[in-house]
Amino acid sequence: MRKITLLTAAVLITACLWSSFTDGSRQRRYGFMNPSAPTLIGLLLTLPISLAVPSITQKFGRSLSLQELIDEDGEIAEALYWDPAYEMPLQKLAVYFAHLELFSMGCQERLICELAAEPETFSPIAEIFLKELRPLHGPVTRSPDSLMWRYMVAMREGFTAPIEACGRSYPKCPLPAKKILNMPVLKVWQFLASKFNVRLV
């Protein structure tokens, strides 16, 4: 008897709900928008990273040529050990550094250090580089011969020390980030990001 009562109640509730949507007037409920209330419309602007990084490359004003930097440093990133688990992030970083024409290991480390020290100053480029250095794929080989470990040490140095310490930690590179990057163009990117919801992918 109780099962029949519950079944009857369920049928009646379903019938009432159905009739409210399928009666002769076919009335349905719709969302209501108040025309006098303020409305915020957001625009998400998605731009490729391949557009942002080359645009902030500093083409002029470097005190040393690229070959002089490599000869003075004596070390390039490609010669170090690449952790297989971090091959994809390292490939992305290699492309970014190639756009910046920055192949000296010392200058790459100094740049990462300074980006980590003042990410707001170098936004959005700092986010582009630093997001590739998150240890998301397991442990990293802790060795001076490991490229990922060297980058992570440089990032940690920037997080824990003022930006001036990066030049002392990597004295083989004479170029600070503000000479490697085209700061006026970077300011344009920051202005766009402040006015629009810009996301680099």
Side-chain angles (χ1 to χ4, degrees):
M1 182 69 179
R2 187 176 179 184
K3 289 183 178 179
I4 295 174
T5 305
L6 291 175
L7 180 60
T8 305
V11 170
L12 288 173
I13 291 172
T14 304
C16 290
L17 291 173
W18 180 256
S19 64
S20 68
F21 288 97
T22 59
D23 60 354
S25 61
R26 300 190 61 84
Q27 294 178 354
R28 291 181 181 236
R29 295 183 180 181
Y30 295 96
F32 176 74
M33 179 180 287
N34 186 353
S36 63
T39 304
L40 177 64
I41 299 175
L43 174 65
L44 176 62
L45 185 59
T46 304
L47 297 172
I49 291 176
S50 58
L51 174 65
V53 177
S55 69
I56 53 89
T57 302
Q58 181 68 273
K59 296 293 185 183
F60 306 102
R62 292 185 178 179
S63 57
L64 293 175
S65 70
L66 177 62
Q67 189 58 47
E68 287 173 326
L69 282 174
I70 294 175
D71 291 344
E72 183 176 329
D73 189 342
E75 190 174 27
I76 58 175
E78 286 75 12
L80 296 176
Y81 171 72
W82 288 40
D83 281 89
Y86 290 90
E87 188 168 351
M88 185 64 69
L90 289 173
Q91 286 178 351
K92 290 182 180 179
L93 288 169
V95 171
Y96 302 157
F97 283 124
H99 280 305
L100 295 175
E101 300 178 8
L102 199 66
F103 301 99
S104 159
M105 187 61 199
C107 284
Q108 290 182 6
E109 289 173 303
R110 180 173 180 177
L111 177 63
I112 289 173
C113 180
E114 294 190 7
L115 294 180
E118 293 187 2
E120 296 84 8
T121 303
F122 301 106
S123 177
I125 296 302
E127 290 88 343
I128 292 174
F129 277 80
L130 299 180
K131 76 176 183 179
E132 302 299 339
L133 297 176
R134 292 176 292 185
L136 301 178
H137 307 287
V140 178
T141 303
R142 298 183 172 220
S143 167
D145 295 326
S146 169
L147 180 59
M148 189 68 178
W149 177 249
R150 293 274 294 269
Y151 286 157
M152 292 176 71
V153 169
M155 180 176 65
R156 186 175 60 209
E157 174 77 17
F159 282 147
T160 59
I163 193 170
E164 294 78 17
C166 296
R168 295 190 293 270
S169 298
Y170 303 101
K172 291 183 178 181
C173 180
L175 297 177
K178 290 185 177 178
K179 286 191 176 180
I180 294 173
L181 305 175
N182 190 327
M183 294 306 292
V185 174
L186 194 58
K187 295 295 183 186
V188 172
W189 279 106
Q190 292 169 356
F191 173 78
L192 292 174
S194 68
K195 298 300 180 184
F196 306 99
N197 190 3
V198 178
R199 184 174 63 186
L200 297 171
V201 294

